[in-house]
Amino acid sequence: MMKGFNVMFFAGVAAMLLPSCNDLLGDIYDEPVASSEYGFIETCSGPKPGMIYVDATDYEVWTYISFADRTIEPLPVDAPAPEKWDMAVHRYDTKTNGGVVFATSLSDISLAQGWKPSAGEKGVADIWTTDKIVTDMSTMMDGYLSYADSYYNPELSEWLDVDTSTMPPIYTLSGKVYVIEMADGSKAAVKLSDFMNGSGVKGYMSIQYIYPLQ
């Protein structure tokens, strides 16, 4: 789906972009670096969190995560979801498999065991979106982006704020622990601890997790 992009944004940065577009947009167009160490690279044990490492550099891929099976599966954005999954990552966007998400006040995920929502607090469910899941950035300088229609979790997707009002963009981790309550009632705690690899390439997601959360 093609939609107009923010015209004011382009007007404000056009003069900067013309002389050195590659330098200014380097944070957006980082080239992926191949690695074989993806998936559940550390296993959770009690209060000790595990680690999931996801290559989310491809704008045309959702990576589906199953906590119970400790598996990840990257699939094209327009492909059907796998049979079993709990959450999925697209670049910095997220969605759940019929679950809800709570943003906690915790910053240390090892303290998440035993966490309970406040009385009356409800988790945030996924919403349907037509203008969040970017699939093609190459047309940005032409004034538009390409999007996929998809579900999207607005709470969990706040784990990383990307401010594009300046160039290069400013990336800010929320630092929060989020609790995902799955459709079957089971729970997992997650925290985005990094969004780049050792070479500084954006889109490589290090996700701390605790599952099952009691």
Side-chain angles (χ1 to χ4, degrees), residues 44 46-49 102 104-117 176-180 187-191 208-214:
C44 166
K48 179 182 178 296
F102 298 85
T104 78
S105 59
L106 299 173
S107 58
D108 184 349
I109 194 171
S110 67
L111 302 177
Q113 284 288 13
W115 178 89
K116 302 293 182 185
K176 294 180 179 180
V177 175
Y178 297 86
V179 171
I180 306 170
K187 297 181 180 67
V190 295
K191 179 182 178 180
Q208 293 179 294
Y209 80 97
I210 291 179
Y211 177 87
L213 196 65
Q214 305 299 328

Side-chain angles (χ1 to χ4, degrees), residues 15 23 46 81 93 117 122 131 144 150 152 154 156 166 171 178 182-183 185:
D23 290 342
D93 312 308
K122 295 183 178 180
D131 60 358
Y144 67 92
S150 178
Y152 163 88
L156 184 54
T166 62
Y171 296 78
Y178 297 86
M182 272 68 84

Side-chain angles (χ1 to χ4, degrees), residues 18-162:
L18 288 174
S20 184
C21 181
N22 289 339
D23 290 342
L24 289 168
L25 295 181
D27 283 350
I28 296 177
Y29 289 114
D30 283 337
E31 289 297 321
V33 177
S35 171
S36 59
E37 297 183 3
Y38 300 122
F40 284 70
I41 60 175
E42 295 178 17
T43 302
C44 166
S45 176
K48 179 182 178 296
M51 182 70 74
I52 307 167
Y53 191 44
V54 174
D55 177 358
T57 55
D58 192 336
Y59 283 90
E60 296 185 0
V61 168
W62 275 106
T63 298
Y64 293 87
I65 299 169
S66 170
F67 294 108
D69 295 338
R70 295 203 297 271
T71 58
I72 69 169
E73 185 174 356
L75 292 171
V77 292
D78 57 354
E83 182 177 350
K84 293 184 64 176
W85 63 283
D86 299 310
M87 67 171 286
V89 177
H90 166 273
R91 195 66 179 180
Y92 312 126
D93 312 308
T94 64
K95 63 181 177 181
T96 71
N97 188 8
V100 294
V101 176
F102 298 85
T104 78
S105 59
L106 299 173
S107 58
D108 184 349
I109 194 171
S110 67
L111 302 177
Q113 284 288 13
W115 178 89
K116 302 293 182 185
S118 303
E121 182 181 2
K122 295 183 178 180
V124 178
D126 292 9
I127 59 174
W128 184 255
T129 179
T130 60
D131 60 358
K132 291 290 187 183
I133 310 305
V134 178
T135 58
D136 187 358
M137 291 286 293
S138 66
T139 56
M140 188 177 72
M141 297 315 300
D142 295 324
Y144 67 92
L145 296 175
S146 298
Y147 297 89
D149 297 354
S150 178
Y151 280 101
Y152 163 88
N153 192 279
E155 187 73 275
L156 184 54
S157 297
E158 289 186 357
W159 60 3
L160 181 67
D161 178 69
V162 183

Side-chain angles (χ1 to χ4, degrees), residues 41 51-54 159 191-196 204-208:
I41 60 175
M51 182 70 74
I52 307 167
Y53 191 44
V54 174
W159 60 3
K191 179 182 178 180
L192 182 62
S193 57
D194 208 345
F195 57 94
M196 65 180 77
Y204 290 92
M205 313 286 279
S206 297
I207 305 168
Q208 293 179 294

